[in-house]
């Protein structure tokens, strides 16, 4: 029996959570480039969707830009983000005689190659994803305008008009909700039985594992907190998965400082996860903030181990 007047709080740690292999590789690319070439190293867009990570890299000498024409010295390295870029971006870099390093996640690159193969074989291509997301922009930008149609919802799948149902294919964004995407695919396959499907699931292993981990804790939780950025697709999907999985409430926060402690009224069990771009230090920060207010018991749920590692680009490997 505790002598503390603080209420008890059980924290269920969804596992796995946080950094995936693609994010870890992208961050290493920026860090290795800074070590090898010195500062500044330019990065087109956020290397990953996490303000804390971006700020840390900025503090080491990375300079983040929206477009290549913002880079004053074309001889300095420029790195493309983990989400991938349209083909026009490296073409522009080459025209400007820039030295660029591509940090696109290999699993995103796999989707790019799939789309190119479908196009080369004359198929019409549907992309399941979210309009405006950098990964979707990058994937659609691998092919000529109009070659890819975007499908965002089951309703889109029901309404979409294609030229030749017998020569059709689809690919998906890697960070989608597994369940939502399954519903969209089911409609497409019902409408277009001949549709060519990916040889291997496009939704990446890390997205799948993190969603399954959240499902494993959600029904036991009065509240689930997901550490992640508002523009992070996989983090937003974790919040949705928590709610559909039975959590009484679920919130996305970037840091412990963003927590509204009124959310904890009546909460005795908290679920905690982190999107694939959120470092573990932010999870620990939330636990420390909870310990200031509650008698905390931490329980790790699931024992899934991820051992995926992606090689660095050859120019940085040595």
């Amino acid at each position: 029996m505790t002598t503390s007047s603080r209420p008890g709080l059980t924290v269920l740690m969804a596992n796995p959570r946080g950094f995936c292999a693609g994010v870890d590789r992208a961050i290493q690319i920026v860090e290795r480039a800074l070590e090898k070439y010195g500062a500044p190293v330019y990065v087109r867009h956020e290397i990953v969707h996490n303000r804390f990570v971006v700020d840390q890299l900025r503090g080491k000498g990375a300079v983040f830009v929206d477009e290549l024409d913002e880079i004053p010295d074309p001889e300095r390295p420029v790195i493309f983000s983990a989400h991938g870029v349209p083909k026009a971006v490296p073409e522009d870099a080459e025209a400007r005689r820039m030295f660029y390093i591509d940090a696109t996640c290999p699993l995103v690159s796999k989707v790019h190659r799939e789309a190119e193969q479908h196009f080369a074989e004359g198929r019409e291509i549907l992309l399941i994803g979210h309009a405006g997301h950098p990964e979707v922009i990058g994937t659609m930008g691998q092919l000529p305008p109009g070659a890819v149609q975007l499908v965002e919802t089951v309703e889109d799948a029901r309404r979409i008009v294609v030229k030749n149902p017998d020569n059709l294919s689809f690919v998906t964004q890697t960070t989608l909700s597994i369940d939502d995407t399954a519903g969209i695919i089911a409609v497409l396959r019902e409408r277009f039985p001949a549709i060519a499907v990916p040889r291997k699931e496009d939704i990446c292993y890390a997205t799948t594992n993190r969603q399954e981990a959240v499902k494993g804790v959600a029904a036991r939780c009065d509240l689930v907190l997901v550490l992640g950025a508002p523009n992070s697709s996989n983090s937003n999907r974790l919040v949705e998965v928590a709610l559909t999985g039975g959590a009484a409430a679920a919130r996305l926060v970037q840091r412990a400082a963003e927590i509204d402690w009124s959310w904890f009224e009546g909460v005795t069990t908290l679920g905690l996860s982190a999107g694939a771009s959120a470092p573990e230090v932010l999870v620990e920060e939330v636990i420390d903030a909870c310990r200031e207010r509650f008698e905390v018991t931490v329980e790790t749920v699931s024992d899934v181990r991820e051992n995926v590692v992606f090689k660095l680009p050859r120019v940085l490997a040595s």
Side-chain angles (χ1 to χ4, degrees):
M1 180 176 177
T2 180
T3 57
S4 171
S5 59
R6 293 181 296 182
L9 180 69
T10 299
V11 179
L12 303 181
M13 305 285 284
N15 187 53
R17 61 184 176 274
F19 279 0
C20 64
V23 165
D24 190 54
R25 173 179 179 268
I27 293 168
Q28 282 190 61
I29 286 172
V30 179
E31 291 176 336
R32 289 282 187 94
L34 285 164
E35 290 170 7
K36 186 168 183 176
Y37 304 108
V41 165
Y42 292 90
V43 184
R44 183 185 178 274
H45 295 179
E46 293 184 335
I47 186 69
V48 296
H49 283 158
N50 188 274
R51 186 192 303 165
F52 179 87
V53 170
V54 168
D55 286 346
Q56 279 201 320
L57 293 174
R58 186 180 284 118
K60 294 177 181 180
V63 177
F64 293 85
V65 298
D66 290 326
E67 299 300 341
L68 299 182
D69 60 13
E70 298 172 39
I71 298 172
D73 183 355
E75 295 186 2
R76 298 304 304 166
V78 57
I79 297 170
F80 302 151
S81 82
H83 307 102
V85 295
K87 278 189 173 176
V89 174
E91 289 170 359
D92 185 21
E94 287 168 8
R96 295 171 185 271
R97 298 185 178 179
M98 288 178 160
F99 168 43
Y100 66 86
I101 303 170
D102 190 354
T104 300
C105 173
L107 297 180
V108 174
S109 295
K110 177 182 79 72
V111 177
H112 292 179
R113 302 294 81 79
E114 286 175 354
E116 289 177 321
Q117 185 65 32
H118 288 310
F119 184 74
E121 293 171 357
R123 295 190 186 96
E124 197 172 348
I125 303 163
L126 306 179
L127 169 60
I128 302 172
H130 297 298
H133 189 277
E135 184 183 329
V136 166
I137 293 169
T139 299
M140 296 184 80
Q142 301 305 304
L143 299 171
V148 182
Q149 288 196 76
L150 185 63
V151 178
E152 294 191 81
T153 65
V154 166
E155 273 308 306
D156 288 347
R158 290 188 180 123
R159 291 195 306 253
I160 198 157
V161 177
V162 301
K163 295 172 185 174
N164 186 353
D166 294 324
N167 200 23
L168 187 64
S169 62
F170 77 84
V171 293
T172 82
Q173 184 179 334
T174 63
T175 54
L176 300 176
S177 161
I178 300 164
D179 295 336
D180 290 350
T181 305
I184 294 170
I185 292 171
V187 171
L188 291 176
R189 297 187 78 166
E190 182 181 355
R191 287 191 62 200
F192 311 114
I195 194 167
V197 303
R199 286 188 294 274
K200 186 178 179 184
E201 181 65 63
D202 284 340
I203 296 176
C204 83
Y205 79 95
T207 297
T208 301
N209 288 348
R210 279 148 191 73
Q211 289 181 21
E212 291 298 329
V214 167
K215 284 180 187 178
V217 303
R220 297 169 59 188
C221 296
D222 306 304
L223 172 66
V224 172
L225 291 181
V226 176
L227 276 297
N231 59 342
S232 165
S233 175
N234 77 86
S235 299
N236 280 288
R237 302 295 80 75
L238 291 177
V239 174
E240 295 168 1
V241 166
L243 292 170
T244 57
R251 304 273 186 172
L252 180 70
V253 294
Q254 297 189 80
R255 302 287 299 268
E258 291 185 2
I259 295 172
D260 181 343
W261 294 99
S262 69
W263 300 339
F264 281 72
E265 186 174 346
V267 170
T268 59
T269 303
L270 172 71
L272 196 53
S273 186
S277 301
E280 185 67 9
V281 64
L282 301 185
V283 176
E284 294 167 359
E285 185 181 85
V286 170
I287 294 173
D288 289 342
C290 288
R291 285 190 168 124
E292 292 174 6
R293 296 162 176 85
F294 302 93
E295 288 296 322
V296 172
T297 301
V298 176
E299 177 185 337
T300 297
V301 180
S302 173
D303 58 356
V304 173
R305 296 286 181 268
E306 293 179 342
N307 55 10
V308 177
V309 177
F310 295 133
K311 293 180 180 178
L312 295 178
R314 189 173 302 170
V315 70
L316 297 176
S318 57

